[in-house]
Amino acid sequence: MTDFPQPSSTGSAPTFARSEGQNSPNEMMRTLSWQGAFWVAAGVPPLVLFSIGGIAGVAGKVAFVVWIVSMCMGFLQSFTYAEMAGMFGNKSGGTSVYGATAWMRYSKLVAPLSVWCNWFAWSPVLSLGCAIAAGYILNAFFPVPGADSPQVMAWVAANAASLTEASPRVLEWLAANPGQTAAQGVNALLTGDAITALTPAVRVWEAAQIGIPGLGTLHFNSTFVVGVALMLTMYTIQKRGIGTAAGVQKVLAIIVLVPLLAAGIIPILNGSINWDYVTNIVPPAAASSPVEGSWNVGGWTLVLGALYITAWSTYGFETAVCYTRELKDPKTDTFKAIFYSGLLCMLFFMLIPFAFQGVYGHEGLLAPAIADGSGIGEALGRMISNSGIVIHLFVLLMILALLMSIMTAGAGSSRTLYQGSRDGWLPKYLSKVNENGAPIGAMRQDLVFNTFLLALASDPGGYFYVLAISNVGYLMFNFLNLNAGWIHRIDSPHLERPWKAPTWLLTVNTMLAFVNAVFLGAGAKVWGYSQALWAGLIFASLIIPVFAYRHWVTDKGRFPREAMEDLGLDPDGDLGPRRAGFLPYLALIAGLGVVLFSNWFFVSPS
């Protein structure tokens, strides 16, 4: 596709705007083409693998429809983000930064909230991805033997005399498993003993556990150690600058996305799709239940909970405009980067969940190895072939796919911190840049934060808790930014818009902001963590003291010159008139009302 909508503008270039296309000391370098930004964002499609099992458990047969609806919403919303990205060619950090500037005139606290929420939503990809990848690596080198493996059966045969049908353990087992025989109890207990005895010590090793009230338990185990090693590897690559990161990402994308696409297409072509699995669409009777339910309040609650989590993946290609300050020609490259990234995600987020569900069905997707992510690589391989070579290849590809997602998240989230610091919302040390133009201060912050989260997510029970809390921030950011589109139209008509979204689409996206508010209110509690919404809101509020110190203590109540210049305002003047009047405040009040009502009205089925 070579024809794009023609650039349009609502006025002349801002009087005080900084010139684009120039590099200054301690700033990022303009070395990236839109194709480079596209390849960096190519780590978003593998995000489907993070939660495909969890979504199936919550939404049942509706799961693949949830992915399609969520992806369509993400694609529509991206056009609002594309317009804002083109307005700020000198900024890095992505659409949360561009949208935050719209709120500056109305509340100094709301603007940094948008940036903060986007960061703590994206940053955990590093820890969650490393936790899953570490599990795959440990499985590859230190596998836990299966119950039907030869070594387990040999151990059972060698130790058969150690347990009899009259043993106390067998009697306890029979009491807990009515209807079973003593012989079955002996076999089950011996098999369990064999797996325990033959499990490599590294799989159960744990140096320490630290409980944190109200949050969870930090596990310093083998998953944590391997995960930290992976994070340090990604950190080292990204220190060399966005050009190097984009080059590595391009190679990984070609290696990973082609086979992943084949896993989605081949089952359709060879007739492996069981159409009973993707028709008669109804939600399950309860989360993780194979029993079909109905479209009542409980069923809708589960579907909204699934849409709540899928948004974290399907909307994620907005990261393609995180690199505006590093693009050679931001006026044309921002739209191309987000548009083509969106098309790529449309393909994968619609195709893979459909094929996955069509092959395995709802009950198949409830398998523990799918739900926790450890068996997704093998399942993808079996969608193409039962060959051991193909299956092992997909396990390896799964690790590389996770590394792609980690690279994308690290690049985007660090630049959000960097620009937040440059614009006066976050501490100054986050704006430090190394000789390669990489935001080294922000990258270190990401590394420290995710080391903590990795310890929390190293236990399977903590994985979805981290995801559920971080997504509170992501939907809050989307709500604020979708409203920022129309606020910018009213308050900043003088800013050049290299690409301008149609007004009807801007209106649709404003309505979608409130749909996201429904997801937030109804969905956060679906994942077994009744306090996830409130924990996320508390974490979001932590930006208030951080911003207050930076703005009123460090900067004496004024924003940095460049933040004012990017808005086309006099650096020594004020923030300009509030042309939108009370409307932004009304949007905030309405959004809060929608969240609270949805949280009260929607209840998960028991």
Side-chain angles (χ1 to χ4, degrees):
M1 181 175 180
T2 57
D3 295 325
F4 288 91
Q6 292 298 311
S8 62
S9 173
T10 57
S12 59
T15 305
F16 300 96
R18 293 177 292 146
S19 60
E20 297 176 3
Q22 298 177 0
N23 296 319
S24 303
N26 198 37
E27 287 191 353
M28 293 177 172
M29 303 177 183
R30 292 197 179 276
T31 59
L32 198 64
S33 65
W34 75 263
Q35 293 96 332
F38 169 86
W39 288 119
V40 176
V44 173
L47 290 179
V48 68
L49 307 175
F50 277 53
S51 54
I52 192 169
I55 297 300
V58 167
K61 294 182 73 174
V62 193
F64 81 94
V65 179
V66 164
W67 284 102
I68 292 173
V69 170
S70 185
M71 186 62 242
C72 289
M73 285 183 61
F75 191 67
L76 289 174
Q77 292 167 180
S78 71
F79 289 96
T80 294
Y81 300 158
E83 176 178 320
M84 290 192 294
M87 294 166 61
F88 300 103
N90 283 307
K91 287 188 183 292
S92 182
T95 188
S96 67
V97 173
Y98 316 142
T101 58
W103 290 97
M104 287 170 59
R105 293 181 175 94
Y106 299 91
S107 173
K108 288 186 176 182
L109 295 180
V110 172
L113 182 66
S114 175
V115 176
W116 179 259
C117 285
N118 178 269
W119 169 72
F120 86 74
W122 259 108
S123 187
V125 176
L126 279 71
S127 54
L128 297 179
C130 285
I132 300 177
Y136 272 97
I137 292 171
L138 290 170
N139 281 336
F141 290 97
F142 308 100
V144 176
D148 57 351
S149 63
Q151 58 265 46
V152 167
M153 290 188 286
W155 192 98
V156 169
N159 293 272
S162 64
L163 200 63
T164 67
E165 295 184 1
S167 297
R169 289 181 63 204
V170 176
L171 297 178
E172 291 176 8
W173 188 91
L174 288 172
N177 297 272
Q180 304 295 309
T181 66
Q184 290 174 317
V186 170
N187 182 68
L189 291 169
L190 284 174
T191 299
D193 292 344
I195 293 174
T196 300
L198 297 172
T199 295
V202 69
R203 298 301 301 275
V204 296
W205 172 83
E206 186 164 62
Q209 291 185 19
I210 300 176
I212 300 180
L215 185 61
T217 303
L218 305 181
H219 294 266
F220 298 93
N221 52 21
S222 52
T223 300
F224 174 81
V225 172
V226 176
V228 167
L230 292 174
M231 275 201 291
L232 288 172
T233 301
M234 297 297 101
Y235 172 80
T236 301
I237 293 173
Q238 295 199 39
K239 280 177 60 178
R240 299 179 64 85
I242 192 62
T244 298
V248 172
Q249 196 80 333
K250 180 178 180 179
V251 173
L252 289 176
I254 294 171
I255 294 173
V256 169
L257 295 184
V258 172
L260 188 59
L261 183 62
I265 293 176
I266 290 177
I268 298 174
L269 297 179
N270 66 14
S272 297
I273 302 295
N274 184 333
W275 294 99
D276 289 338
Y277 293 159
V278 291
T279 53
N280 300 317
I281 305 300
V282 291
S288 301
S289 170
V291 180
E292 292 184 359
S294 60
W295 289 103
N296 53 21
V297 172
W300 274 107
T301 301
L302 293 176
V303 172
L304 292 173
L307 284 162
Y308 168 76
I309 290 294
T310 52
W312 184 79
S313 301
T314 55
Y315 300 178
F317 68 94
E318 45 87 11
T319 191
V321 294
C322 275
Y323 318 101
T324 304
R325 181 61 185 85
E326 296 160 280
L327 290 172
K328 296 176 182 177
D329 187 359
K331 290 185 177 181
T332 60
D333 288 350
T334 48
F335 179 85
K336 293 178 183 179
I338 196 170
F339 180 76
Y340 283 121
S341 296
L343 290 181
L344 180 72
C345 288
M346 288 275 281
L347 176 64
F348 281 89
F349 282 118
M350 292 184 174
L351 187 62
I352 298 302
F354 172 79
F356 217 79
Q357 184 171 324
V359 170
Y360 293 108
H362 179 212
E363 290 192 42
L365 295 179
L366 292 178
I370 301 298
D372 66 18
S374 63
I376 290 177
E378 179 179 349
L380 286 169
R382 292 188 184 279
M383 290 167 65
I384 294 179
S385 171
N386 286 321
S387 166
I389 295 176
V390 173
I391 292 171
H392 287 305
L393 174 63
F394 266 86
V395 172
L396 174 61
L397 291 176
M398 181 71 179
I399 297 173
L400 296 179
L402 292 167
L403 295 181
M404 282 181 63
S405 298
I406 295 165
M407 186 86 77
T408 296
S413 63
S414 61
R415 281 156 178 80
T416 299
L417 290 179
Y418 163 84
Q419 192 63 50
S421 176
R422 294 293 295 258
D423 284 347
W425 296 321
L426 299 175
K428 282 191 171 183
Y429 72 88
L430 295 172
S431 62
K432 179 178 174 55
V433 175
N434 69 7
E435 66 277 6
N436 298 313
I440 194 69
M443 289 168 59
R444 289 169 181 164
Q445 178 72 41
D446 262 343
L447 186 63
V448 172
F449 178 64
N450 277 278
T451 299
F452 171 81
L453 288 185
L454 180 60
L456 184 63
S458 292
D459 174 69
Y463 177 84
F464 275 106
Y465 188 46
V466 171
L467 186 55
I469 291 178
S470 69
N471 206 45
V472 171
Y474 197 57
L475 288 183
M476 288 177 64
F477 139 73
N478 274 282
F479 177 84
L480 293 172
N481 262 47
L482 291 172
N483 281 288
W486 63 264
I487 296 175
H488 269 311
R489 283 280 184 95
I490 296 173
D491 280 341
S492 301
H494 59 290
L495 290 183
E496 181 183 3
R497 288 163 169 80
W499 187 84
K500 185 178 179 181
T503 301
W504 68 264
L505 185 53
L506 201 69
T507 303
V508 169
N509 288 340
T510 302
M511 292 188 288
L512 290 181
F514 292 91
V515 175
N516 282 311
V518 174
F519 297 165
L520 177 57
K525 60 185 179 181
V526 167
W527 295 85
Y529 313 105
S530 59
Q531 303 302 315
L533 173 61
W534 313 113
L537 293 175
I538 291 171
F539 195 92
S541 69
L542 295 180
I543 187 58
I544 295 175
V546 174
F547 169 74
Y549 184 86
R550 169 66 196 270
H551 186 66
W552 282 289
V553 177
T554 304
D555 292 341
K556 310 304 179 186
R558 297 194 62 84
F559 287 102
R561 289 181 61 88
E562 67 181 70
M564 300 290 287
E565 290 171 346
D566 286 338
L567 275 171
L569 300 173
D570 183 349
D572 299 316
D574 58 26
L575 290 170
R578 300 175 180 177
R579 296 187 178 95
F582 188 72
L583 290 178
Y585 302 110
L586 183 61
L588 291 176
I589 294 170
L592 178 61
V594 169
V595 171
L596 294 177
F597 175 81
S598 301
N599 188 259
W600 167 78
F601 181 80
F602 291 100
V603 180
S604 297
S606 55

